Amino acid sequence: MTQEADEAARALRKLQELTNKYSNLEMGADELKQSISERINATEELKDILAKATQAKKDRESKLQ
């Protein structure tokens, strides 16, 4: 597995854990805000890792041509 794949898998696990953590909780306004913020941050992290991995793949492919 490449480094990018390892990072993406880790970020996805983190997002899944956060989703599971908050899925069955009743939350007040502050807790809900925190939950949303944590999940947005985890989603952004995963999105950035996937973008870097996609660019790395394109770079590798362009070197092969």
Side-chain angles (χ1 to χ4, degrees):
M1 222 180 220
T2 66
Q3 179 181 353
E4 292 93 354
D6 289 341
E7 289 179 24
R10 179 192 51 77
L12 179 58
R13 276 192 303 275
K14 179 179 177 181
L15 181 56
Q16 290 169 328
E17 288 169 4
L18 287 171
T19 299
N20 291 338
K21 175 181 173 182
Y22 293 115
S23 66
N24 294 319
L25 294 178
E26 287 189 31
M27 295 179 263
D30 289 338
E31 293 167 316
L32 183 57
K33 185 177 178 181
Q34 179 67 28
S35 164
I36 291 169
S37 178
E38 286 181 10
R39 287 183 279 169
I40 287 172
N41 290 340
T43 300
E44 288 296 323
E45 180 183 0
L46 178 57
K47 186 175 92 172
D48 291 344
I49 290 167
L50 293 174
K52 288 177 189 175
T54 300
Q55 186 59 49
K57 181 181 177 189
K58 287 178 183 178
D59 292 347
R60 285 191 300 270
E61 288 172 353
S62 69
K63 289 179 183 179
L64 295 175
Q65 294 179 353

